[in-house]
């Protein structure tokens, strides 16, 4: 635009040089002034107006007829006045347009901020609603826990008495030990619920992966057998020790295996695979706050099924409290949410991948440590 304005200015200067007596040509300086006004630059406009005024009065230096000089001065002064008026009006118009554009941009920005704030308010409201529902569930659970504590103790006593019966086979003894262990775990959970409004914080230590995987698999093996679903446990060789509270991670794995069993039809396969990988910088940083020592390795325990899978919309809400794809009365929607909370308290992560018709894989990642004499057997 500036180049065009300069070209127009030079053309008018040339016309003025060859026809100095015709003051009409000087009015052409209006064009470069208007072109420069579009640029909305006051300094550039002042320079342009000054150049046009000088060029207008420069026409007086050309020879004129006797007695015409005074008239030429008056005519060119009128031209200069017109040029100044056009410059003022042009800059005022463009500046007003600039203010309007700035106001529209500011309004658009404020509208966007309001929409973003509204979205945040909706999200906060949803979180508050979930918190209230969790608080209500917590009160209900505490009440139920108090009521079921006595019958559970009674069942535990009868199970112990059954284990001491003469005629109990080794296989029966194995099943009784599993039942007794799970009853004791339920009693401890109830005790934690009654003693505090919050769940017991994890008390992790270094232990072999098999110590948390094998009991969970053994507990659910009869349910898998009854449904006709194959349960495979594939633990890699020379796996690092895992940083875990055995009871807490056992609860997480039981929940994941229960979900996999529910999603897998008869004849399907659920596999538990354990491995190791280097820790990411984020995992190392989180590990500093949760683990005794520097985290360089993460142990992964993946629970994969060949079930129905989950659509993308459900997958995004998988860890949302109270969200469940199970039928009414068969699921609370808290399992994955509480499992992730537990894993994160260990300095680990819980992720899920799923594809409709192909199955789901949930990966539990916990800090790992190469086997040493310090590990708990």
């Amino acid at each position: 635009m500036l180049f065009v304005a300069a070209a127009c200015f030079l053309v008018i200067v040339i016309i003025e040089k060859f026809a100095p007596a015709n003051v009409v040509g000087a009015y052409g300086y209006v064009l470069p002034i208007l072109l420069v006004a579009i640029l909305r630059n006051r300094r550039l406009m002042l320079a342009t107006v000054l150049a046009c005024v000088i060029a207008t009065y420069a026409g007086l230096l050309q020879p004129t007829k006797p007695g015409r000089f005074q008239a030429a001065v008056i005519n060119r002064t009128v031209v200069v006045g017109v040029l100044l008026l056009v410059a003022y009006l042009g800059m005022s118009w463009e500046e007003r347009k600039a203010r309007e554009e700035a106001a529209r941009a500011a309004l658009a920005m404020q509208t966007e901020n309001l929409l973003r704030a509204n979205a945040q308010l909706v999200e906060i409201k949803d979180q508050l609603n979930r918190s209230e529902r969790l608080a209500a569930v917590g009160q209900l659970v505490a009440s139920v826990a108090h009521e079921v504590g006595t019958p559970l103790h009674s069942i535990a006593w009868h199970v112990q008495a059954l284990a001491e019966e003469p005629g109990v086979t080794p296989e029966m003894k194995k099943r009784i030990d599993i039942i007794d262990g799970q009853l004791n775990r339920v009693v401890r959970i109830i005790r934690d619920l009654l003693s505090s409004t919050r769940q017991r914080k994890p008390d992790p230590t270094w232990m072999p992966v098999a110590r948390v995987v094998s009991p969970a698999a053994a507990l659910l093996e009869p349910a898998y057998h009854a449904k006709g679903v194959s349960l495979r446990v594939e633990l890699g060789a020379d796996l690092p020790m895992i940083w875990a509270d055995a009871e807490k991670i056992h609860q997480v794995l039981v929940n994941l295996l229960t979900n996999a069993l529910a999603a897998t039809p008869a004849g399907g396969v659920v596999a538990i695979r354990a491995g190791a990988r280097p820790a990411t910088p984020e995992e190392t940083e989180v590990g500093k706050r949760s683990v005794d020592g520097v985290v360089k390795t993460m142990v992964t325990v993946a629970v994969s099924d060949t079930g129905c899978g989950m659509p993308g919309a459900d997958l995004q809400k998988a860890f949302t409290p109270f969200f469940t794809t199970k039928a009414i009365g068969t699921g609370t929607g808290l399992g994955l949410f509480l499992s992730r909370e537990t894993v994160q308290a260990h300095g680990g992560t819980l992720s899920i991948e799923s594809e409709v018709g192909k199955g789901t894989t949930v990966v539990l990642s916990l800090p790992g440590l190469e086997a040493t004499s310090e590990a708990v057997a």
Side-chain angles (χ1 to χ4, degrees), residues 234-251:
E234 302 173 7
L235 303 182
D238 300 325
L239 283 174
M241 293 290 178
I242 195 171
W243 180 250
D245 180 318
E247 184 175 317
K248 289 286 188 180
I249 299 303
H250 173 86
Q251 189 173 345

Side-chain angles (χ1 to χ4, degrees), residues 54-365:
I54 292 174
T56 300
Y57 280 119
L60 296 174
L61 301 177
Q62 301 293 334
T64 59
K65 294 179 181 180
R68 301 284 295 176
F69 182 78
Q70 185 176 3
V73 171
I74 295 174
N75 290 337
R76 291 191 177 271
T77 300
V78 171
V79 172
V80 169
V82 171
L83 296 180
L84 293 175
L85 178 62
V86 170
Y88 173 77
L89 294 177
M91 282 302 296
S92 299
W93 176 264
E94 291 298 330
E95 288 178 349
R96 190 184 73 174
K97 288 172 60 178
R99 288 193 296 269
E100 290 176 352
E101 292 174 0
R104 283 195 293 268
L107 180 60
M109 180 68 70
Q110 290 178 358
T111 302
E112 183 179 353
N113 291 337
L114 287 174
L115 291 174
R116 188 181 300 111
N118 184 63
Q120 292 176 349
L121 286 174
V122 172
E123 183 178 353
I124 292 173
K125 181 181 178 182
D126 291 341
Q127 291 177 353
L128 180 60
N129 290 336
R130 289 197 295 267
S131 298
E132 291 176 349
R133 293 169 67 185
L134 282 172
V137 170
Q139 294 176 354
L140 176 62
V141 168
S143 176
V144 173
H146 182 271
E147 296 299 324
V148 301
T150 300
L152 278 177
H153 279 94
S154 177
I155 294 172
W157 294 331
H158 283 285
V159 168
Q160 293 174 0
L162 184 62
E164 297 173 358
E165 289 287 334
V168 174
T169 65
E171 182 64 24
M172 293 172 60
K173 184 66 166 61
K174 177 182 176 182
R175 299 299 182 189
I176 291 173
D177 289 341
I178 292 176
I179 295 172
D180 185 53
Q182 294 306 306
L183 282 173
N184 289 332
R185 187 170 71 87
V186 172
V187 170
R188 287 195 298 272
I189 293 174
I190 291 175
R191 187 184 303 119
D192 293 337
L193 289 172
L194 295 176
S195 63
S196 174
T197 57
R198 299 181 299 176
Q199 287 188 331
R200 176 180 65 84
K201 291 184 178 180
D203 184 20
T205 187
W206 297 111
M207 64 182 61
V209 179
R211 181 173 171 180
V212 293
V213 173
S214 298
L219 176 64
L220 289 174
E221 184 180 359
Y224 274 77
H225 179 74
K227 189 176 179 180
V229 176
S230 176
L231 177 61
R232 300 176 182 173
V233 179
E234 302 173 7
L235 303 182
D238 300 325
L239 283 174
M241 293 290 178
I242 195 171
W243 180 250
D245 180 318
E247 184 175 317
K248 289 286 188 180
I249 299 303
H250 173 86
Q251 189 173 345
V252 171
L253 287 173
V254 167
N255 180 63
L256 298 183
L257 289 172
T258 301
N259 289 346
L261 177 61
T264 307
V269 177
V270 174
I272 308 174
R273 298 182 177 90
R277 60 172 175 79
T280 65
E282 292 78 9
E283 290 169 335
T284 300
E285 185 65 26
V286 172
K288 292 179 181 179
R289 301 189 293 268
S290 308
V291 183
D292 294 337
V294 179
V295 178
K296 297 182 179 179
T297 303
M298 297 295 288
V299 175
T300 60
V301 179
V303 178
S304 304
D305 64 62
T306 57
C308 56
M310 299 172 62
D314 290 347
L315 188 61
Q316 293 178 356
K317 298 184 289 186
F319 294 108
T320 302
F322 303 107
F323 174 78
T324 178
T325 57
K326 297 178 181 178
I328 297 176
T330 60
T332 63
L334 291 173
L336 284 176
F337 169 73
L338 295 176
S339 295
R340 186 174 64 172
E341 294 290 311
T342 298
V343 173
Q344 290 177 343
H346 284 74
T349 59
L350 190 66
S351 61
I352 182 170
E353 296 178 359
S354 186
E355 186 174 350
V356 176
K358 294 188 177 180
T360 302
T361 298
V362 182
V363 180
L364 163 65
S365 300

